[in-house]
Amino acid sequence: MCKLHGREEFRRIDFVQKLKRESQFLPSASKLPDKKLQQDEEESTVQVKEEDQDVLVLKKVLSESPAPTAGSAENDWRYMVVSGTPEKILEHLLNDLHLDEVQDKDTDTLLDDFLLTYTVFMTTDDLCKALLRHYCAAKYDGKAESPEALCTKRKVLLLASQWTALYKDWLHEDEHSKLFLKTLYRYVLDDVYEYPILEKELKEFQKVLRIHRRHTVDEYSPHRKNKALFHQFSLKENWLQHRGNANEIEEIFCRVYITDHSYVSIRAKVSSSAQDILKIVAERIQLSEEDLALVTVTYCGEKQELLPNELVLSKSLEPSSRIYTYRKSDTLNPFAENEETQHRSVRLLGINTWDIAFELTSFDWSLFNSIHEQELIYFTFSRQGKGENTLNLSLLLQRCNEVQLWVATEILLCNQPGKRVQLLKKFIKIAAHCKAQRNLNSFFAIIMGLNTASVSRLSQTWEKIPGKFKKLFSELESLTDPSLNHKAYRDAFKKMKPPKIPFMPLLLKDVTFIHEGNKTFLDNLVNFEKLHMIADAVRSVRYCRNNQFGNDLPQKERQEAKFYSNHLHVIDNQQTLFELSHRIEPRV
């Protein structure tokens, strides 16, 4: 064990690593026998102390990167962060970064771990101040800056560039980070004339900041990628949930209720009028648009009809309201339970199963691709502003629930036994196609929808399913087996090449178990080993999105499938589903 004291001795860690690579040992006042040192080599640690308090604990591990010098890789050791104060972890990270070369795997992982999880143990404002302190450490000492200080400046720029590239527009929504980026950029502009070596880092910094003219950070460029495209408009909870201005949002989700327990989940343009929304609902529940009206109903029972050209996003609506579809007559009359489906034809049977699976995958991918990795961190640690910072993740989870309910709804609203059998077969095929298209989120949702109690009890319907479909369903169902920590799913998903969509509830469960099974702080130090495990799980999202899904079907051939996958008719009440189930197959 090597104890280092004070800021100056902290840089001896480089010396420690160098000696270990060369199979040498640190000089010590009480020298231990070489055999004893060799025995303890794999378990040696470095503790950095300040004022007799541990501020950083490092553990020596075998590096995953190729050995940088000649000789066996077995001698290539590095020091992994076990725990530490936020400031010392950052200092170690800056010390570990390499300039003028590609980062080795270990350093790149450390940098990524820190940037993904820093919000757990420090605020963005704290990080910004710490980085500026490191950049300006020797700025006003009245002496020429040492090569070491100049190297630190370049490393701060490198870290800031990586941070901005990883977080993208998230940083532009934080006032502290916007001020930091402007301040740092001004400092670099001041220094680049005296130190031309900073020019390379300056150019990289300008790229990630999308700077188009000198001294200007274009924070609100219209060409920014990875905007939050999807925002939920649900009158059941909040009328408007969003990050940014509504004018920037391209599409919305809107629930239009048919009855208290039945609604159509609609995906539409942000500029949609009441007439546009009504047209979608009318087609989805197969009724004439002229006979229907959109009505806002508050929880107090007050009703107000929406005019055809009125924007659904009108600010005049109450936050505690829902949108309903009512029958239009001399007076506005609500639908009775299941009344809207009495003369309903099963149009789903006429749509190609591969097309439906493709559109389900396209919808899920658009949501999954919009999720920022930080959303999983916020979701797990339940920080302030959780709802606002986990919007896209919440929408994908909501989508999974709605697809599950949609499967049960379609089957239970079919009164004809023969067509109900066909629907079961169709959903089994759609699930198989979703698996083939590597969309495990919708795959799980469909299988769980078929396994809900209200559907699985339809013994007369299941008995009429051909044997090959029963066998296929059994094979698909085995992938959802939760035994051995979902081993069947994990093995199958691991073999799939990206792009692919994971079953998000299980990924969140993994991250949550890591969080709840390990303390975030140990002896007042950040437990960085725990954060490394969480960052590893979060990085799996990045791997799944390495490539983009193709668009190999003509738009016209998918039009009806797209309509059905974008606008799901859902009954969200289990009691209502059970009543439907007992109505179509009474218990004998």
Side-chain angles (χ1 to χ4, degrees):
M1 180 173 292
C2 169
K3 295 185 179 181
L4 305 180
H5 302 270
R7 182 180 298 273
E8 294 302 321
E9 289 192 347
F10 180 70
R11 297 196 178 276
R12 291 183 62 202
I13 293 174
D14 273 346
F15 179 57
V16 174
Q17 293 174 330
K18 179 181 178 182
L19 290 176
K20 290 304 178 185
R21 291 191 189 105
E22 297 172 356
S23 298
Q24 299 178 23
F25 300 100
L26 283 176
S28 174
S30 55
K31 190 172 181 179
L32 297 174
D34 288 351
K35 289 184 179 180
K36 177 63 176 175
L37 284 171
Q38 290 172 358
Q39 291 173 0
D40 294 340
E41 189 172 28
E42 293 182 356
E43 298 178 357
S44 63
T45 61
V46 171
Q47 289 179 313
V48 181
K49 287 181 176 288
E50 287 185 355
E51 299 179 358
D52 292 328
Q53 295 292 324
D54 287 341
V55 293
L56 186 67
V57 180
L58 305 174
K59 180 173 66 176
K60 190 180 69 172
V61 295
L62 185 63
S63 175
E64 296 182 18
S65 303
T69 57
S72 172
E74 292 180 356
N75 291 327
D76 185 24
W77 300 90
R78 64 178 293 271
Y79 283 84
M80 183 182 74
V81 177
V82 176
S83 59
T85 63
E87 295 79 9
K88 284 300 176 184
I89 293 174
L90 175 60
E91 191 172 336
H92 175 69
L93 171 59
L94 289 172
N95 187 62
D96 226 28
L97 289 178
H98 303 295
L99 296 171
D100 302 321
E101 60 182 80
V102 177
Q103 302 296 325
D104 60 60
K105 183 177 179 181
D106 299 315
T107 302
D108 194 52
T109 300
L110 174 62
L111 174 60
D112 204 48
D113 290 347
F114 181 86
L115 293 178
L116 280 174
T117 63
Y118 81 88
T119 53
V120 173
F121 54 85
M122 65 191 308
T123 65
T124 298
D125 185 33
D126 290 337
L127 177 58
C128 293
K129 290 177 179 177
L131 288 174
L132 286 177
R133 280 198 303 271
H134 282 286
Y135 186 88
C136 303
K139 194 174 180 66
Y140 303 111
D141 61 359
K143 303 176 183 178
E145 292 188 272
S146 65
E148 191 176 83
L150 188 58
C151 181
T152 301
K153 289 181 183 293
R154 297 176 62 193
K155 289 182 177 182
V156 170
L157 276 174
L158 176 60
L159 190 149
S161 296
Q162 293 281 358
W163 184 24
T164 309
L166 178 63
Y167 277 65
K168 299 182 176 67
D169 293 338
W170 276 53
L171 289 187
H172 290 274
E173 296 172 8
D174 184 274
E175 293 301 323
H176 298 298
S177 60
K178 285 197 294 185
L179 179 60
F180 161 73
L181 293 173
K182 289 180 180 179
T183 305
L184 182 60
Y185 184 58
R186 286 198 300 268
Y187 284 166
V188 180
L189 286 176
D190 291 340
D191 290 340
V192 74
Y193 299 106
E194 188 174 355
Y195 307 104
I197 196 172
L198 291 174
E199 187 173 354
K200 179 182 176 182
E201 281 75 18
L202 175 61
K203 288 181 179 179
E204 291 299 318
F205 199 41
Q206 288 173 330
K207 283 182 183 178
V208 296
L209 294 179
R210 291 176 293 275
I211 296 176
H212 303 295
R213 65 180 187 271
R214 202 173 187 81
H215 299 282
T216 301
V217 178
D218 186 6
E219 306 160 15
Y220 306 104
S221 168
H223 304 294
R224 293 187 302 173
K225 294 183 179 180
N226 297 308
K227 286 184 179 179
L229 298 181
F230 303 100
H231 293 262
Q232 178 182 8
F233 292 78
S234 171
L235 294 179
K236 184 176 181 180
E237 298 171 356
N238 296 303
W239 172 240
L240 177 61
Q241 300 175 4
H242 71 92
R243 282 204 335 252
N245 297 323
N247 293 333
E248 297 176 354
I249 305 167
E250 295 183 1
E251 292 183 304
I252 63 169
F253 290 108
C254 180
R255 287 181 178 179
V256 179
Y257 284 81
I258 314 302
T259 66
D260 287 341
H261 303 304
S262 172
Y263 65 86
V264 177
S265 178
I266 292 175
R267 176 182 178 181
K269 295 293 181 183
V270 70
S271 56
S272 298
S273 63
Q275 187 173 4
D276 297 330
I277 299 296
L278 189 61
K279 183 178 180 181
I280 294 173
V281 176
E283 184 175 353
R284 192 63 184 83
I285 64 176
Q286 301 173 34
L287 293 174
S288 173
E289 181 183 348
E290 289 73 20
D291 297 334
L292 303 175
L294 280 187
V295 179
T296 62
V297 181
T298 67
Y299 290 149
C300 298
E302 297 177 1
K303 302 175 184 177
Q304 180 182 351
E305 182 179 359
L306 292 173
L307 300 176
N309 294 326
E310 188 173 353
L311 291 179
V312 175
L313 307 183
S314 170
K315 294 181 181 179
S316 63
L317 289 173
E318 294 292 331
S320 57
S321 302
R322 282 184 177 184
I323 298 180
Y324 277 82
T325 299
Y326 276 21
R327 286 192 180 279
K328 186 188 294 184
S329 57
D330 295 336
T331 58
L332 295 174
N333 298 312
F335 282 94
E337 290 292 342
N338 305 322
E339 179 190 351
E340 81 280 11
T341 61
Q342 287 180 355
H343 306 289
R344 181 176 177 272
S345 61
V346 190
R347 291 173 59 186
L348 185 64
L349 292 176
I351 306 175
N352 183 276
T353 52
W354 180 268
D355 291 357
I356 295 174
F358 183 89
E359 289 301 334
L360 288 171
T361 299
S362 178
F363 194 111
D364 286 358
W365 178 255
S366 60
L367 285 175
F368 177 61
N369 204 32
S370 298
I371 294 174
H372 194 286
E373 293 166 6
Q374 266 292 307
E375 293 190 43
L376 280 78
I377 304 295
Y378 276 95
F379 189 92
T380 303
F381 285 86
S382 302
R383 297 182 66 86
Q384 290 183 351
K386 173 185 171 183
E388 180 181 341
N389 291 320
T390 62
L391 181 60
N392 295 311
L393 177 59
S394 298
L395 288 178
L396 185 59
L397 296 176
Q398 173 188 306
R399 172 69 175 182
C400 183
N401 291 332
E402 287 186 344
V403 170
Q404 179 181 346
L405 291 170
W406 167 64
V407 170
T409 300
E410 290 288 337
I411 293 170
L412 296 174
L413 288 180
C414 181
N415 294 318
Q416 303 172 44
K419 289 187 176 180
R420 196 159 58 246
V421 172
Q422 294 179 47
L423 270 177
L424 278 177
K425 291 164 56 180
K426 197 157 193 88
F427 279 120
I428 292 171
K429 290 175 68 175
I430 293 172
H433 292 326
C434 284
K435 176 178 174 288
Q437 294 172 16
R438 305 187 295 280
N439 177 9
L440 277 299
N441 204 60
S442 281
F443 165 78
F444 261 79
I446 293 171
I447 297 299
M448 289 190 299
L450 293 172
N451 276 328
T452 54
S454 53
V455 175
S456 61
R457 68 166 295 278
L458 301 177
S459 56
Q460 297 174 30
T461 304
W462 283 100
E463 286 173 359
K464 296 176 183 178
I465 299 293
K468 66 176 184 178
F469 278 93
K470 289 181 180 178
K471 182 180 178 181
L472 175 59
F473 179 67
S474 179
E475 292 173 356
L476 298 176
E477 191 179 27
S478 66
L479 286 179
T480 65
D481 181 8
S483 62
L484 299 176
N485 195 18
H486 289 273
K487 185 179 186 301
Y489 160 76
R490 295 182 192 278
D491 290 346
F493 191 70
K494 188 176 181 180
K495 294 176 183 177
M496 295 179 180
K497 296 180 180 180
K500 53 186 179 179
I501 305 174
F503 180 49
M504 286 305 295
L506 185 56
L507 178 57
L508 290 172
K509 173 189 169 186
D510 291 343
V511 179
T512 302
F513 273 25
I514 295 172
H515 171 48
E516 294 183 349
N518 300 274
K519 293 182 179 180
T520 304
F521 295 93
L522 298 172
D523 298 326
N524 295 322
L525 300 179
V526 178
N527 182 4
F528 205 75
E529 283 186 308
K530 166 186 174 174
L531 300 184
H532 169 68
M533 290 189 290
I534 289 178
D536 255 351
V538 172
R539 267 190 291 272
S540 65
V541 171
R542 190 182 309 170
Y543 173 73
C544 292
R545 300 190 295 205
N546 270 352
N547 298 309
Q548 295 293 316
F549 271 106
N551 195 7
D552 54 359
L553 292 177
Q555 182 70 21
K556 291 183 179 179
E557 294 183 14
R558 308 196 320 262
Q559 189 170 2
E560 193 169 12
K562 185 174 183 177
F563 177 82
Y564 267 80
S565 65
N566 283 4
H567 315 302
L568 302 182
H569 184 196
V570 168
I571 295 176
D572 64 352
N573 181 270
Q574 293 298 327
Q575 181 62 35
T576 304
L577 291 174
F578 264 110
E579 290 173 0
L580 285 170
S581 178
H582 283 276
R583 190 186 69 188
I584 59 179
E585 278 195 24
R587 186 178 298 276
V588 178

PDB file of all heavy atoms in Angstrom, residues 266-282:
ATOM      1  N   ILE A 266     -53.159   8.453 -29.670  1.00  0.00           N
ATOM      2  CA  ILE A 266     -52.942   9.037 -30.995  1.00  0.00           C
ATOM      3  C   ILE A 266     -51.559   9.668 -31.085  1.00  0.00           C
ATOM      4  O   ILE A 266     -51.095  10.334 -30.159  1.00  0.00           O
ATOM      5  CB  ILE A 266     -54.022  10.100 -31.295  1.00  0.00           C
ATOM      6  CG1 ILE A 266     -55.386   9.423 -31.448  1.00  0.00           C
ATOM      7  CG2 ILE A 266     -53.691  10.894 -32.554  1.00  0.00           C
ATOM      8  CD1 ILE A 266     -56.521  10.389 -31.619  1.00  0.00           C
ATOM      9  N   ARG A 267     -50.919   9.464 -32.216  1.00  0.00           N
ATOM     10  CA  ARG A 267     -49.674  10.138 -32.550  1.00  0.00           C
ATOM     11  C   ARG A 267     -49.981  11.072 -33.713  1.00  0.00           C
ATOM     12  O   ARG A 267     -50.392  10.632 -34.776  1.00  0.00           O
ATOM     13  CB  ARG A 267     -48.610   9.120 -32.945  1.00  0.00           C
ATOM     14  CG  ARG A 267     -47.289   9.709 -33.411  1.00  0.00           C
ATOM     15  CD  ARG A 267     -46.355   8.583 -33.824  1.00  0.00           C
ATOM     16  NE  ARG A 267     -45.094   9.066 -34.312  1.00  0.00           N
ATOM     17  CZ  ARG A 267     -44.120   8.264 -34.759  1.00  0.00           C
ATOM     18  NH1 ARG A 267     -44.301   6.957 -34.778  1.00  0.00           N
ATOM     19  NH2 ARG A 267     -42.977   8.779 -35.190  1.00  0.00           N
ATOM     20  N   ALA A 268     -49.807  12.371 -33.499  1.00  0.00           N
ATOM     21  CA  ALA A 268     -50.211  13.351 -34.508  1.00  0.00           C
ATOM     22  C   ALA A 268     -49.272  14.546 -34.507  1.00  0.00           C
ATOM     23  O   ALA A 268     -48.442  14.710 -33.613  1.00  0.00           O
ATOM     24  CB  ALA A 268     -51.647  13.806 -34.243  1.00  0.00           C
ATOM     25  N   LYS A 269     -49.388  15.387 -35.514  1.00  0.00           N
ATOM     26  CA  LYS A 269     -48.575  16.595 -35.614  1.00  0.00           C
ATOM     27  C   LYS A 269     -48.964  17.582 -34.522  1.00  0.00           C
ATOM     28  O   LYS A 269     -50.110  17.643 -34.091  1.00  0.00           O
ATOM     29  CB  LYS A 269     -48.755  17.250 -36.981  1.00  0.00           C
ATOM     30  CG  LYS A 269     -48.254  16.417 -38.160  1.00  0.00           C
ATOM     31  CD  LYS A 269     -46.746  16.262 -38.118  1.00  0.00           C
ATOM     32  CE  LYS A 269     -46.242  15.466 -39.307  1.00  0.00           C
ATOM     33  NZ  LYS A 269     -44.777  15.250 -39.248  1.00  0.00           N
ATOM     34  N   VAL A 270     -48.003  18.383 -34.111  1.00  0.00           N
ATOM     35  CA  VAL A 270     -48.248  19.325 -33.032  1.00  0.00           C
ATOM     36  C   VAL A 270     -49.285  20.369 -33.420  1.00  0.00           C
ATOM     37  O   VAL A 270     -49.982  20.924 -32.562  1.00  0.00           O
ATOM     38  CB  VAL A 270     -46.923  20.002 -32.609  1.00  0.00           C
ATOM     39  CG1 VAL A 270     -46.411  20.939 -33.677  1.00  0.00           C
ATOM     40  CG2 VAL A 270     -47.075  20.714 -31.288  1.00  0.00           C
ATOM     41  N   SER A 271     -49.408  20.652 -34.708  1.00  0.00           N
ATOM     42  CA  SER A 271     -50.350  21.674 -35.164  1.00  0.00           C
ATOM     43  C   SER A 271     -51.741  21.115 -35.430  1.00  0.00           C
ATOM     44  O   SER A 271     -52.587  21.803 -36.014  1.00  0.00           O
ATOM     45  CB  SER A 271     -49.808  22.318 -36.449  1.00  0.00           C
ATOM     46  OG  SER A 271     -49.573  21.328 -37.443  1.00  0.00           O
ATOM     47  N   SER A 272     -52.003  19.880 -35.002  1.00  0.00           N
ATOM     48  CA  SER A 272     -53.287  19.231 -35.293  1.00  0.00           C
ATOM     49  C   SER A 272     -54.447  19.994 -34.669  1.00  0.00           C
ATOM     50  O   SER A 272     -54.388  20.418 -33.513  1.00  0.00           O
ATOM     51  CB  SER A 272     -53.288  17.797 -34.765  1.00  0.00           C
ATOM     52  OG  SER A 272     -52.298  17.036 -35.410  1.00  0.00           O
ATOM     53  N   SER A 273     -55.513  20.151 -35.462  1.00  0.00           N
ATOM     54  CA  SER A 273     -56.735  20.791 -34.972  1.00  0.00           C
ATOM     55  C   SER A 273     -57.656  19.722 -34.392  1.00  0.00           C
ATOM     56  O   SER A 273     -57.400  18.517 -34.517  1.00  0.00           O
ATOM     57  CB  SER A 273     -57.442  21.519 -36.113  1.00  0.00           C
ATOM     58  OG  SER A 273     -57.859  20.593 -37.102  1.00  0.00           O
ATOM     59  N   ALA A 274     -58.739  20.164 -33.787  1.00  0.00           N
ATOM     60  CA  ALA A 274     -59.722  19.224 -33.238  1.00  0.00           C
ATOM     61  C   ALA A 274     -60.293  18.339 -34.345  1.00  0.00           C
ATOM     62  O   ALA A 274     -60.535  17.144 -34.138  1.00  0.00           O
ATOM     63  CB  ALA A 274     -60.840  20.003 -32.546  1.00  0.00           C
ATOM     64  N   GLN A 275     -60.474  18.915 -35.525  1.00  0.00           N
ATOM     65  CA  GLN A 275     -61.015  18.142 -36.647  1.00  0.00           C
ATOM     66  C   GLN A 275     -60.035  17.053 -37.084  1.00  0.00           C
ATOM     67  O   GLN A 275     -60.449  15.938 -37.423  1.00  0.00           O
ATOM     68  CB  GLN A 275     -61.319  19.079 -37.827  1.00  0.00           C
ATOM     69  CG  GLN A 275     -62.033  18.388 -38.984  1.00  0.00           C
ATOM     70  CD  GLN A 275     -62.456  19.381 -40.055  1.00  0.00           C
ATOM     71  OE1 GLN A 275     -62.165  20.569 -39.972  1.00  0.00           O
ATOM     72  NE2 GLN A 275     -63.159  18.886 -41.066  1.00  0.00           N
ATOM     73  N   ASP A 276     -58.738  17.370 -37.088  1.00  0.00           N
ATOM     74  CA  ASP A 276     -57.724  16.375 -37.454  1.00  0.00           C
ATOM     75  C   ASP A 276     -57.736  15.198 -36.479  1.00  0.00           C
ATOM     76  O   ASP A 276     -57.676  14.032 -36.890  1.00  0.00           O
ATOM     77  CB  ASP A 276     -56.332  17.016 -37.459  1.00  0.00           C
ATOM     78  CG  ASP A 276     -56.192  18.107 -38.501  1.00  0.00           C
ATOM     79  OD1 ASP A 276     -56.878  18.014 -39.540  1.00  0.00           O
ATOM     80  OD2 ASP A 276     -55.412  19.058 -38.265  1.00  0.00           O
ATOM     81  N   ILE A 277     -57.812  15.513 -35.189  1.00  0.00           N
ATOM     82  CA  ILE A 277     -57.829  14.461 -34.180  1.00  0.00           C
ATOM     83  C   ILE A 277     -59.114  13.641 -34.279  1.00  0.00           C
ATOM     84  O   ILE A 277     -59.094  12.406 -34.184  1.00  0.00           O
ATOM     85  CB  ILE A 277     -57.696  15.068 -32.763  1.00  0.00           C
ATOM     86  CG1 ILE A 277     -56.367  15.827 -32.626  1.00  0.00           C
ATOM     87  CG2 ILE A 277     -57.806  13.991 -31.701  1.00  0.00           C
ATOM     88  CD1 ILE A 277     -55.144  14.980 -32.751  1.00  0.00           C
ATOM     89  N   LEU A 278     -60.223  14.318 -34.505  1.00  0.00           N
ATOM     90  CA  LEU A 278     -61.515  13.633 -34.593  1.00  0.00           C
ATOM     91  C   LEU A 278     -61.557  12.672 -35.779  1.00  0.00           C
ATOM     92  O   LEU A 278     -62.120  11.576 -35.682  1.00  0.00           O
ATOM     93  CB  LEU A 278     -62.645  14.663 -34.702  1.00  0.00           C
ATOM     94  CG  LEU A 278     -64.067  14.123 -34.588  1.00  0.00           C
ATOM     95  CD1 LEU A 278     -64.277  13.466 -33.235  1.00  0.00           C
ATOM     96  CD2 LEU A 278     -65.084  15.244 -34.805  1.00  0.00           C
ATOM     97  N   LYS A 279     -60.939  13.065 -36.879  1.00  0.00           N
ATOM     98  CA  LYS A 279     -60.899  12.202 -38.067  1.00  0.00           C
ATOM     99  C   LYS A 279     -60.176  10.900 -37.763  1.00  0.00           C
ATOM    100  O   LYS A 279     -60.602   9.815 -38.180  1.00  0.00           O
ATOM    101  CB  LYS A 279     -60.210  12.939 -39.210  1.00  0.00           C
ATOM    102  CG  LYS A 279     -60.168  12.156 -40.516  1.00  0.00           C
ATOM    103  CD  LYS A 279     -59.512  12.978 -41.617  1.00  0.00           C
ATOM    104  CE  LYS A 279     -59.468  12.191 -42.923  1.00  0.00           C
ATOM    105  NZ  LYS A 279     -58.815  12.979 -44.002  1.00  0.00           N
ATOM    106  N   ILE A 280     -59.085  10.985 -37.024  1.00  0.00           N
ATOM    107  CA  ILE A 280     -58.322   9.789 -36.661  1.00  0.00           C
ATOM    108  C   ILE A 280     -59.145   8.886 -35.746  1.00  0.00           C
ATOM    109  O   ILE A 280     -59.216   7.668 -35.958  1.00  0.00           O
ATOM    110  CB  ILE A 280     -56.999  10.189 -35.971  1.00  0.00           C
ATOM    111  CG1 ILE A 280     -56.083  10.925 -36.956  1.00  0.00           C
ATOM    112  CG2 ILE A 280     -56.288   8.969 -35.395  1.00  0.00           C
ATOM    113  CD1 ILE A 280     -54.831  11.513 -36.315  1.00  0.00           C
ATOM    114  N   VAL A 281     -59.790   9.479 -34.748  1.00  0.00           N
ATOM    115  CA  VAL A 281     -60.586   8.695 -33.802  1.00  0.00           C
ATOM    116  C   VAL A 281     -61.750   8.013 -34.515  1.00  0.00           C
ATOM    117  O   VAL A 281     -62.015   6.824 -34.289  1.00  0.00           O
ATOM    118  CB  VAL A 281     -61.115   9.594 -32.662  1.00  0.00           C
ATOM    119  CG1 VAL A 281     -62.030   8.799 -31.741  1.00  0.00           C
ATOM    120  CG2 VAL A 281     -59.954  10.189 -31.871  1.00  0.00           C
ATOM    121  N   ALA A 282     -62.418   8.748 -35.382  1.00  0.00           N
ATOM    122  CA  ALA A 282     -63.575   8.195 -36.099  1.00  0.00           C
ATOM    123  C   ALA A 282     -63.159   6.991 -36.944  1.00  0.00           C
ATOM    124  O   ALA A 282     -63.860   5.963 -36.970  1.00  0.00           O
ATOM    125  CB  ALA A 282     -64.208   9.273 -36.980  1.00  0.00           C
TER     126      ALA A 282
END
